Structure formats: C-alpha cells, structure tokens
Amino acid sequence: MKLLKPSWLSHNGKPIFSVDIHPDGTKFATGGQGEDSGKVMIWNMAPVLRDEDEKNESIPKMLCQMDNHLACVNCVRWSNNGLYLASGGDDKLVMVWKRAAFIGPSTVFGSSSKLANVEQWRCVTILRNHTGDVMDVAWSPHDVWLASCSVDNTIVIWNARKFPEMVTCLRGHTGLVKGLTWDPVGKYIASQADDHSLRVWRTVDWQMESNITKPFNECGGTTHVLRLSWSPDGQYLVSAHAMNNSGPTAQIVERDGWKTNMDFVGHRKAVTVVKFNPKIFKKKQKNGSAPKPGCPYCCCAVGSKDRSLSVWLTSLKRPLVVIHDLFDKSIMDISWTLTGLGMLVCSMDGTVAYLDFSLDELGDPLNEEEKNSIHQNIYGKSLAITSTEAQLSTTIIENPEMLKYQQERQSSAQAGPGGGAPEASAPKLNSVVNGESLEDIRKNLLKKQVETRTPDGRRRITPLCIAQLDTGDFSPALFNSAPILPSGSSMSNQLTSQLSSDSSPGPASSLGLRPGHDPMLTSPPAGAAKGPEENRDGVKCGLLLTSASKMEPMKALDSRFTERSKATPGVTAAITSITGLLPLDSRLKDGVPGPKDTKSKEDSSSDSEDKMASINKNLSFSKRKPELLMEGGEGVVEKRRKGRPRKDKMAAPSAQPFTQVTPPAEREHSRVAPPPPAALKLPTPSIKKAFSLQVSAEPPVFLEVENEVSLVAGSKLSQLRCSRDGREWNTLLPSSVVTAAGSSDVFAVACQDRMVSVFSSCGRRLLPAIQLATPTSALHCSAHFVMALTAGATLSVWDVQKQKALVKNESLLSILSGADITVSQSLLTQQGVPVIGLSNGKSYCFSSSLETWTLVADKGDSMVQCADFRSCLPTHDAPVSSGPLAVMQGRNLNAGRLASRLSSTPHHLQQSMTLAFLENQLTSALTLQSAAEYRHWLLIYARFLVNEGSENRLRELCKELLGPVHKSAATAWEPSTLGLRKRELLRDVLPVMVENLRFQRLFTEYQDQLELLRTK
C-alpha cells in the first residue's frame, strides 16, 4: 500500500468536507469552505497517480473551480454515468453541474492569472426545496433519481431525468439527516440522522421499510456527517456513529431481516464515514496452484473523528490496515476509484490523502459478469438487465427506417426547434456541432439586433442575450423556476387562450392557485398584457406576454431555451366557436344573481373579439372605463352597481370547493326527486332598447339590433341590421329581440315571444320561425349550426343546411344535479356539438350519436392535477389552445401540468393518473369532434406509452389505427375518424416509437404492413 498527501491539493487552508472520484478515474471533485462562499473544485487525477505528471508544469492540477454556492459545500457526488456532478451546501441548495463546450480558458474570479479553469463546468439546474443545510446527496443506480438530505429532517427524491421535478419528500426522522446511501439493486434507500436512528425506505412506494435504533441508543454527542454505505453485493448496510459497550463502532446491518449482530470495532472516537469499495473481490490465486472455490468478499473503509482510517475485508476478522493520525482533524469523506484499488480521503483540516492498494493486498476483483451473476443468484435479477438508457444505447438497430428516424431525431435535437423563427437560427446553432467557428455564430446573432430611434433621433440598440454557446441541456431553474416564453411558445399560447376564453369563475383548482379575476387582455399589437399567472411552485408571479415583435431578441437565444420551452410557430388562440355573445344581463333574472354563474366577463372568444366591447354596450367589462361604451351611460352605472356583489360572490368561501364530490347515494336521490322547477330555471337576458355585437373579426361582421323601432297596427317592430365588408342588410321582426348570435354562414335571433329566427349571411330567412317552450337563455351559431338553450333548462341544436334537428329539446336536469349548480358557460363547436360548462367546474357535451350527456372536462378532477405529460409534449406541432376542449379546460390544464411538481404522489401512481387523464382527453376530443385536438392528444398519448413502456396499450392503439389488412363484409372498421385518415395517424405515431428501442419490433411490424397496404 502506498500513501500520498499532495501538498498542492487544498482549499487555501479551509476545511474540505467532501471528495468524490469521477467514474472514469481521470478527475475528482472536492467540496468545502471557500473564502466567503461554498467552493466546489475539480482536480486532475494524473498528478496524484504519477510523480512525473506532478512535476510536469504543462499538466494542469486544478481543472475548474466553481464558487456558485452561497455557503459551505457539504457534499459532492458524480452521477454514475459521469455526465453530472451534484453538490449540496449550507445554502439549502442542490446544484447539478454539467461540463460545457470549451470556449477558452477563463480565470477564477479574483485570482491571479495562474489559476485558469481548464474545463468549463456549468450549473444546469438548482434544486430548491430544503429549508435547512443540505448534508448529503446520492445518485441512485442508473441515475434515475437523485436524493438529498438536510438538517430540516427530510430526504428529497428528485427525478434525475426531469430536473427540477421532485418525486417525493421522505419525512419521519426527528433529527438532522446527515447521510444517504442507495441499495445497489435500487430497491431501497437508507438514511441516518442525529435522532439515533437509521431508516430504510422502499423505492416502490417511498414508504419506510425499517427503523433501526438499537445500536445508536448509547450514542452521545454529534458528528458533522453520518455517511453510511451499502455493500456492492447489496447484502450489508454499514452505519456511521454507533455504540457497543460504550465503544464507538460502525454497525453492520444485514439486509436479511435488518439484523444488527456485527460491527467494526476499534476506533477511539465516533465513526463519521463508511465507504464500500465498488468491487467484489475473491482470494488471489498462488502462482501455479489450482483455483480454489473461494467465497467472494467486499472491502470497506471506515473514517473517524479520531483522525484515523481503517480498511476492512468482510473475509477477515481484523482490519486489513489501520492508519493513525493521518490528519489533524476529523475525517469527512472517502471515495474509491471504480477499479477498486485507489482511495481518496478528505479531512476537516483541509487536506486530502490518496491510498493505493495492490491486488495482492485486496484480492482479485470480480468482473461485471461475475458481479451480475451474484446479483442474479441473490435477487433473481441482474442489475444490467433492467431496461435502462445505458443498456438500450448499445441495442443494435435492426431496421433502416428506425435508424433514419433516430438520426433525424438526433439532428433535430441538436438544432433545437428555432423558437418559431423562420430565420437561420436553428441551422446556425446546429453548426456549432458541425464545427462552425464561434465567431461566425456571434456575427449571425448580431445581424438580428433590433435598432430603434428615440424621438430626438438617437439610435438605440436593444441588448441581445448571447448565451454561452454549447449544446448541453438547459434548465429554467436557473431563472428561479419562472418559465421563459419565446414568442409562440405553447405555454404563452395557452396563457393567452386562458386569459381570453376561460370564463368560468371560482377556484382555479384545488391546489390553492388563486383564480385570476377577470384578467384584462389587450390585443397583442397593443403591447404587453400582464395576467396574474402562477409559476411552477404555485407562487403568484406576473408573467409577461408581449407581442411577437417585442419578443424578437429572444429568438437569438441558443437552442437550450427554445428546446425546453417547446417553442412552436404558434398563433394567438382564436376560438371561432363561441361566436354568439350574450348580453351581460343574460345572467341576471329579476336582478338576482345566481350563486356562481354570474360573471363580469362574457364568453368572449378571442383577443380580436375583445375589441368589440367598445361597440357592444351590453358587454361592459367591469374593469373597463364607461367611456368605452357607445351610449346609455345610465345603463353602465347600473351595471357596475350590479357587478359588485357578484365579484364578492365569486370570492365568497361559501362557494362549494371543486374537490367535494356528492356521494353516489345523494346523487341517486337527487335524480329521483328533483328540486322544484323554479330552482332549475336558467337566467334569461333582459330586453334592451338597442345592442350590437361583432360576429367575426376577419372579415369584420357586425350585427345591430334596435327594438321597438315603429308601431304598426298596434304591434311594435324590431329592426335587425348587419354590416359585412361594407355591405349592409336589414330585416324587421314583429317582437322585441332578446339575444342574437351569428357565424360566417348564419345569423340567429331569439325574440320575446319565444320565437327563434334564422337568416343567411345575406339576410335571407332560412327557416320558419321556431317556437320554443320557454324563453331563450343563450343562443349560439357556429358554421351552419344554431343552438338554443332555454330558461327551462332544455337544449336544441339545428343543422340549418340540412334543415334537421341534431339535438331535440334535451333536458339539462340530469347534469344540473344540485340546487346551487347552474350553467356558467355554453358554446357550440364548428361541428355542431353543444358544450355546457357548469358552475361546479364540470363541462358536458351532448353526444348525438350516443344520445347522452358526456363529461368532457372537470376542473376539480385530481387526475388533471397530478397528470404529468410535459416530457411527452410535441416540439414542432402548433399547440391546440383554441379547440373546444382547451377552452373548456382552460387554466386548469396548465395548473395540472405544473402541479405535478408540487404533489408528492409516488411515481407509479402519478403514471397511472397521467394515463387515465390522457385517455380521458382522447375520448373527450372524439366526442367533441375536434380533429386537431384529437390528433394532438393522440400523439402525446402515444409518446407517453412509449416512454413508460406500455406495450399492450401501444399495440392495441396501432392495431385500431391500421385496421384489417384484407377487406371483408364482416369488418365494421372505419378508415377515418373525424375526417383524419387512421392510417395517416399511424404514420405519425410510428416515429414516436423510435424513442424507445424496446419497441423496434413493433415499429417494424406496423411499418411493413403500412408499406404493404400502400403498394396494394
């Protein structure tokens, strides 16, 4: 054994709390106290291993110094694949570092020029959740999770594939948690704390498996760390700081029954750190002697407060070696090389020692196959067999089509979707990878600079952020978790659509996100519109949506921004379906507002329709100035007075929370004995002297109504006037018009005498006047369909083109199953499907094919809250934020997507909820006959099935899309759905399968069948 203490290896005399050797053995990291912050340093291993390299001036000793931590660093750990370094410190943060593409040597801030960073390491994500110092971090086998523990008594498990997502928080310790270790099989994680306990947790459901306290009962005093360790064969767990007969020991816990019969004895003071050698050894054979079937054993190093280090073999009763007074202060951390023959030890005195063992001393290390066969024998499965990315990356691709898709995927991932910019930003960024000089890239970025002139003629250039150019992944966590939205990003579209279309008041979700009351949204060219939106942690932050022109410099950011924020050349949401707008008073009957149905904002459909408030005096938004309105100032004052109690109503806690569900028994009862009819009456609009509404923005179409224009033979006539592209038409009606609606094809008006009249876009009457049983509550037109909702809670939809009823006087009683539930929103889709949104957050549509009400959205649904499909969102498709499903789900959909981080649901439960939610979305889009949304959700669903490896569901989906290969009279398979050809949809699903090589046989099977059908 050789021992070396390099004098050059120090943190300027400050303590070093942690050391970890990189899996490839070429470098190692140390963490500890800096001058006035925490310090992480990466060192070259070569000068430690070889004398000649140490003397050679040209070989750098320090590779990089990172001073980002605000306080002392307690732990540094490399991921198993060596790509990332995690560090945890007294600043309560866990930082994850990744090596950046080299731009040139940069000096350490504030140091002499000699200290140049040879490698660039960049913080890619900051994990914030702990409320106290982070003491230890640990990567799980295969880097699926990263665990961190803290003096706040908790252990947080992070999803290492989707930083900064939190999987769960393990609570149970009643003292400071100071050490973590993963079972090498990945079934358990163990933690040790100052509460004199060692706890073992299951990774299946993140519940506690065992709480071991006996060996720690006698412990007095504390140690800075309690770094425990699991043996590489998974059979033993060794703790720090245990006591036996009032002597300090390292307790050995057996996996079988968590028995505590053995320990490592001999240290004079408390044990602070235990570290198993990653290799399993067998006895070394004497030259020429026949191999003996020796029992494999493990090797373990133990460090203590008594400044000494002992190395034990599980095959020996006594330690292999004990080194006393190795340091001046307590030993803080130990790290073995992956070969199993080298070891680094660090101490609070700020020095590091390297120990080099020989094969004669430790024995012959088993190779990976032998190690895996031991695992196979003990646990019935080998570690290497679990389907991990590492293993799949070596899978041979059998299909040339598959290879083509894989290469396309890689090249598009490198390029990054270009932030919705048709400019050359994506190819330019791609050419970093293809070896284009950085100077050229900078020039290209500068070409896009935006120049403005101030009124006095001076030039002003908008500052442009030229991010560090490398193709590493980027995490928005750097910006305090507030997402950055390039123009046209799917999220900004969703926000715009939410702010403009989600007209249902009441709690946004049971997560405690405050619903934005009546957020004002100006049309995009008018500048930026701020809407109260919640950021990922449920904290309210003003999120700025600006017009595309203002967002231009954003596009120059490198591919990392655009890739994460799923930028797409999107459009601001325009909901063509809610064209019929009700006058405001339609929600009020006899001046009594309903509990939750009234609102200060009508079903306005898009930004363009927001403009029409200036023309439509019935739509006085409660926050707009009365001057906007055309006439009738008194009406405005009246309206505002009526509006106030409503606002209070909206915020009133008496409103039933969404999570409350009527028990089935009550529901049955309410169906049998409905409340008196008066309670179910829907409010009707009050009659105005005159009103107008904008039917569409492109081309601009306005409808004006004037009641009681003239008296003829004792009856009062009303006039309907429409202007379109400068052409006008008008018609007279024998009764006062209560409400009107229009679309590009038809116009409909409902009169006081309960008659509905329908006219063409040029003013011809298309249907005889339709008599309704009760007065009209709401009227909608969409394409050539007309929908009427009556005060008696019945619904009718007519197809004007075919002159037939699609829905006949269908009662809403079955969905209005509570005394205080009323209709808060209604719309008619372009396909003539009626949708009703209720005040309890549920939205129903009437399916004429199934002849029943179907639930399409529920804002109180916990599935939505926990569904996490962010990783499955398409990067290139335009977001579907304007379809009827998106309109009805509105803000809630986003809340659910962001909530997955807040909820501490275990992964398997979250996976099931996401699956159920995506299947609900698919069937809802199908019932609503919304083709674009159906395709959008189908691809997300397929990607989710691929990511989660659900082969049976994926096969069934492909089978349904492919249909029978040979036609026969017996098959009831339809070749298209909602106008989309199913086999074309299958062609879209196939490239998604490429993302998981486990499905390449399935891919080949359906690829071949599609080819066969095409050539037939």
Side-chain angles (χ1 to χ4, degrees):
M1 186 196 84
K2 295 179 197 150
L3 173 62
L4 167 76
K5 282 187 83 171
S7 55
W8 45 267
L9 210 165
S10 80
H11 282 208
N12 295 349
K14 297 276 194 301
I16 297 178
F17 287 115
S18 185
V19 62
D20 201 40
I21 302 173
H22 192 277
D24 69 6
T26 58
K27 56 176 85 94
F28 63 95
T30 58
Q33 187 71 52
E35 300 310 315
D36 51 1
S37 66
K39 188 187 277 190
V40 177
M41 295 180 85
I42 296 173
W43 305 87
N44 192 352
M45 198 74 182
V48 177
L49 299 175
R50 288 176 290 279
D51 273 355
E52 59 272 24
D53 289 350
E54 189 175 10
K55 292 178 185 123
N56 187 338
E57 293 276 316
S58 62
I59 292 179
K61 292 183 173 64
M62 190 197 79
L63 300 178
C64 188
Q65 174 178 326
M66 296 94 91
D67 298 319
N68 297 31
H69 274 283
L70 308 173
C72 179
V73 174
N74 293 315
C75 188
V76 288
R77 292 289 180 260
W78 295 101
S79 61
N80 298 295
N81 59 16
L83 288 177
Y84 298 99
L85 174 70
S87 59
D90 286 357
D91 53 4
K92 308 170 191 170
L93 305 176
V94 176
M95 294 190 185
V96 180
W97 306 83
K98 186 179 183 199
R99 189 168 173 184
F102 186 59
I103 290 185
S106 64
T107 54
V108 175
F109 182 73
S111 71
S112 63
S113 58
K114 284 180 190 166
L115 270 175
N117 279 341
V118 182
E119 293 182 356
Q120 302 278 330
W121 285 81
R122 198 167 52 87
C123 179
V124 288
T125 189
I126 298 176
L127 307 176
R128 306 164 195 272
N129 186 275
H130 288 295
T131 54
D133 308 0
V134 177
M135 297 307 294
D136 203 2
V137 293
W139 296 86
S140 73
H142 305 306
D143 301 327
V144 180
W145 299 298
L146 173 67
S148 59
C149 67
S150 161
V151 300
D152 62 11
N153 302 0
T154 65
I155 300 123
V156 174
I157 311 291
W158 309 90
N159 182 347
R161 297 186 180 170
K162 282 192 247 176
F163 284 131
E165 182 183 294
M166 197 177 112
V167 179
T168 186
C169 180
L170 308 179
R171 299 174 195 279
H173 278 293
T174 54
L176 292 58
V177 189
K178 293 183 174 178
L180 286 174
T181 180
W182 289 90
D183 153 29
V185 189
K187 196 174 175 187
Y188 301 111
I189 178 173
S191 58
Q192 193 174 347
D194 270 350
D195 57 7
H196 303 321
S197 77
L198 185 159
R199 290 171 194 246
V200 182
W201 314 79
R202 293 187 294 272
T203 59
V204 179
D205 55 1
W206 302 111
Q207 298 303 310
M208 194 170 72
E209 166 83 10
S210 176
N211 181 10
I212 300 151
T213 54
K214 194 176 157 203
F216 312 106
N217 290 339
E218 298 175 40
C219 293
T222 59
T223 57
H224 186 80
V225 288
L226 294 165
R227 303 203 200 274
L228 64 169
S229 182
W230 215 302
S231 65
D233 60 2
Q235 286 298 287
Y236 300 103
L237 172 62
V238 179
S239 82
H241 194 26
M243 295 289 259
N244 187 354
N245 282 338
S246 63
T249 65
Q251 182 65 47
I252 300 170
V253 180
E254 294 177 54
R255 188 195 190 99
D256 181 19
W258 312 110
K259 296 197 282 283
T260 54
N261 304 331
M262 298 180 285
D263 45 23
F264 293 134
V265 189
H267 283 283
R268 298 186 300 284
K269 287 188 182 170
V271 170
T272 50
V273 52
V274 179
K275 196 58 170 273
F276 267 97
N277 189 315
K279 290 284 186 195
I280 301 173
F281 295 91
K282 60 174 187 269
K283 283 252 181 350
K284 189 146 182 72
Q285 304 300 331
K286 296 277 187 295
N287 288 341
S289 67
K292 291 179 189 151
C295 198
Y297 54 88
C298 300
C299 168
C300 178
V302 179
S304 158
K305 258 173 126 171
D306 64 10
R307 317 191 311 279
S308 66
L309 175 83
S310 56
V311 179
W312 303 71
L313 299 180
T314 52
S315 60
L316 298 178
K317 292 245 172 68
R318 297 188 177 283
L320 178 71
V321 60
V322 179
I323 305 162
H324 290 291
D325 304 321
L326 185 55
F327 299 101
D328 298 334
K329 288 188 182 168
S330 169
I331 292 177
M332 297 312 291
D333 204 0
I334 301 170
S335 177
W336 289 90
T337 58
L338 217 52
T339 60
L341 297 176
M343 171 173 50
L344 281 172
V345 188
C346 72
S347 161
M348 210 187 255
D349 66 12
T351 61
V352 175
Y354 176 69
L355 281 78
D356 186 28
F357 294 91
S358 67
L359 290 171
D360 291 329
E361 290 160 334
L362 297 183
D364 283 333
L366 302 185
N367 59 30
E368 280 305 303
E369 275 126 49
E370 292 170 306
K371 192 170 161 182
N372 282 328
S373 69
I374 288 180
H375 281 292
Q376 190 84 42
N377 294 340
I378 304 175
Y379 308 108
K381 65 173 180 182
S382 149
L383 269 125
I385 292 169
T386 50
S387 64
T388 61
E389 271 80 344
Q391 190 225 350
L392 285 174
S393 63
T394 58
T395 308
I396 294 166
I397 295 178
E398 304 165 2
N399 184 329
E401 284 288 326
M402 191 99 178
L403 184 64
K404 187 182 86 182
Y405 279 127
Q406 283 272 346
Q407 286 164 343
E408 277 174 17
R409 223 176 115 225
Q410 280 160 2
S411 61
S412 68
Q414 285 169 344
E423 295 100 47
S425 67
K428 286 288 174 261
L429 287 163
N430 190 15
S431 53
V432 181
V433 190
N434 299 340
E436 189 187 3
S437 79
L438 293 162
E439 206 45 56
D440 289 354
I441 292 158
R442 289 213 159 85
K443 280 179 193 153
N444 285 324
L445 288 174
L446 292 174
K447 277 180 198 162
K448 296 202 191 93
Q449 67 188 25
V450 181
E451 188 181 301
T452 52
R453 283 188 184 273
T454 56
D456 56 359
R458 292 183 190 169
R459 292 171 64 211
R460 285 280 176 270
I461 289 173
T462 309
L464 195 60
C465 168
I466 300 178
Q468 185 174 8
L469 285 157
D470 78 36
T471 49
D473 62 347
F474 168 78
S475 166
L478 286 172
F479 294 94
N480 233 340
S481 293
I484 293 174
L485 306 177
S487 64
S489 83
S490 63
M491 194 160 158
S492 72
N493 275 324
Q494 248 160 5
L495 280 173
T496 356
S497 78
Q498 279 160 219
L499 296 177
S500 60
S501 70
D502 185 13
S503 60
S504 162
S509 72
S510 54
L511 279 168
L513 304 184
R514 194 186 69 78
H517 284 311
D518 200 359
M520 292 294 292
L521 190 69
T522 53
S523 53
K530 290 183 185 133
E533 185 51 42
E534 289 69 29
N535 78 354
R536 300 185 155 197
D537 295 307
V539 183
K540 188 177 148 242
C541 73
L543 217 123
L544 198 63
L545 305 177
T546 54
S547 62
S549 62
K550 293 221 176 123
M551 274 294 191
E552 196 62 23
M554 269 307 218
K555 294 174 188 167
L557 292 174
D558 86 10
S559 58
R560 295 167 295 160
F561 283 85
T562 48
E563 194 161 16
R564 273 298 165 101
S565 45
K566 306 280 186 243
T568 43
V571 286
T572 334
I575 299 104
T576 47
S577 46
I578 319 183
T579 40
L581 285 158
L582 300 181
L584 186 71
D585 284 355
S586 67
R587 301 286 177 225
L588 297 172
K589 187 142 195 253
D590 309 323
V592 183
K596 286 199 281 181
D597 65 320
T598 55
K599 42 187 167 314
S600 41
K601 179 173 164 200
E602 268 315 302
D603 312 342
S604 87
S605 58
S606 68
D607 308 338
S608 57
E609 293 194 5
D610 263 1
K611 290 180 209 151
M612 101 197 126
S614 52
I615 304 134
N616 181 359
K617 74 169 198 219
N618 305 303
L619 284 177
S620 77
F621 284 34
S622 61
K623 286 189 186 173
R624 288 221 176 138
K625 291 180 184 149
E627 292 90 65
L628 282 178
L629 302 155
M630 271 181 2
E631 49 183 314
E634 301 154 342
V636 174
V637 179
E638 174 68 14
K639 201 95 21 47
R640 290 174 73 87
R641 206 177 65 229
K642 278 183 187 168
R644 257 185 216 114
R646 274 190 278 164
K647 190 110 185 193
D648 300 343
K649 268 272 198 273
M650 265 157 66
S654 62
Q656 172 189 346
F658 286 147
T659 44
Q660 202 173 312
V661 180
T662 330
E666 280 181 50
R667 235 181 264 152
E668 287 304 316
H669 174 70
S670 65
R671 207 173 292 149
V672 178
L680 283 168
K681 283 276 170 67
L682 299 182
T684 54
S686 59
I687 298 167
K688 299 278 178 10
K689 177 78 179 78
F691 63 88
S692 68
L693 64 99
Q694 181 175 5
V695 172
S696 76
E698 273 307 314
V701 180
F702 296 101
L703 198 61
E704 290 173 34
V705 171
E706 208 174 333
N707 287 326
E708 301 178 14
V709 185
S710 56
L711 273 164
V712 176
S715 67
K716 296 170 182 173
L717 295 179
S718 300
Q719 186 176 41
L720 180 68
R721 188 185 303 113
C722 174
S723 63
R724 179 194 187 113
D725 290 336
R727 300 196 304 277
E728 281 198 5
W729 58 263
N730 59 21
T731 185
L732 292 170
L733 291 156
S735 172
S736 294
V737 175
V738 178
T739 179
S743 73
S744 51
D745 300 339
V746 294
F747 296 97
V749 290
C751 299
Q752 197 178 6
D753 57 6
R754 308 201 309 274
M755 290 286 190
V756 173
S757 301
V758 181
F759 303 95
S760 74
S761 55
C762 294
R764 285 188 313 117
R765 182 179 275 277
L766 295 177
L767 298 175
I770 298 166
Q771 178 73 60
L772 298 176
T774 49
T776 310
S777 171
L779 195 63
H780 293 290
C781 294
S782 181
H784 50 88
F785 301 100
V786 176
M787 158 181 157
L789 183 63
T790 68
T794 62
L795 176 88
S796 301
V797 179
W798 299 280
D799 181 339
V800 179
Q801 213 171 40
K802 295 183 179 166
Q803 301 225 347
K804 64 179 248 188
L806 299 179
V807 180
K808 286 183 272 194
N809 279 338
E810 196 56 50
S811 171
L812 271 67
L813 294 187
S814 57
I815 57 172
L816 291 169
S817 58
D820 58 344
I821 294 175
T822 181
V823 175
S824 62
Q825 186 181 10
S826 54
L827 63 93
L828 182 63
T829 72
Q830 289 286 322
Q831 286 71 35
V833 180
V835 185
I836 302 291
L838 301 182
S839 55
N840 63 359
K842 293 186 174 173
S843 301
Y844 294 87
C845 86
F846 189 80
S847 165
S848 42
S849 54
L850 298 173
E851 295 192 3
T852 183
W853 287 102
T854 56
L855 181 71
V856 289
D858 182 0
K859 299 196 176 180
D861 186 0
S862 54
M863 300 272 197
V864 187
Q865 286 117 78
C866 295
D868 180 19
F869 48 87
R870 278 172 299 169
S871 58
C872 306
L873 288 173
T875 45
H876 45 80
D877 284 4
V880 189
S881 50
S882 57
L885 187 58
V887 171
M888 295 319 282
Q889 289 177 330
R891 183 176 292 107
N892 208 46
L893 193 58
N894 238 16
R897 193 172 310 165
L898 304 180
S900 58
R901 288 233 327 287
L902 303 174
S903 66
S904 55
T905 42
H907 175 73
H908 69 282
L909 185 62
Q910 192 173 33
Q911 182 184 334
S912 309
M913 290 177 110
T914 308
L915 194 63
F917 168 73
L918 291 174
E919 286 172 354
N920 281 346
Q921 293 294 88
L922 263 183
T923 52
S924 298
L926 204 56
T927 314
L928 287 167
Q929 296 177 26
S930 172
E933 284 180 305
Y934 179 74
R935 184 179 177 279
H936 171 78
W937 287 109
L938 179 77
L939 292 178
I940 292 179
Y941 177 59
R943 192 171 276 112
F944 183 78
L945 293 181
V946 168
N947 289 357
E948 297 296 340
S950 314
E951 185 166 357
N952 293 341
R953 272 183 159 92
L954 191 63
R955 184 176 284 280
E956 189 179 73
L957 179 71
C958 293
K959 195 172 165 186
E960 161 59 24
L961 293 176
L962 182 74
V965 181
H966 305 290
K967 287 186 184 135
S968 68
T971 57
W973 183 77
E974 291 290 331
S976 63
T977 177
L978 307 183
L980 301 166
R981 297 196 66 75
K982 287 184 180 173
R983 285 172 184 165
E984 288 304 316
L985 286 174
L986 180 58
R987 271 181 230 285
D988 294 338
V989 168
L990 284 178
V992 171
M993 278 197 223
V994 176
E995 292 170 28
N996 191 339
L997 292 181
R998 280 174 52 191
F999 295 128
Q1000 58 171 325
R1001 298 280 165 89
L1002 192 64
F1003 171 89
T1004 309
E1005 182 184 327
Y1006 283 97
Q1007 172 85 16
D1008 291 351
Q1009 295 205 51
L1010 276 176
E1011 281 303 308
L1012 190 74
L1013 287 163
R1014 207 168 65 187
T1015 51
K1016 265 171 88 172

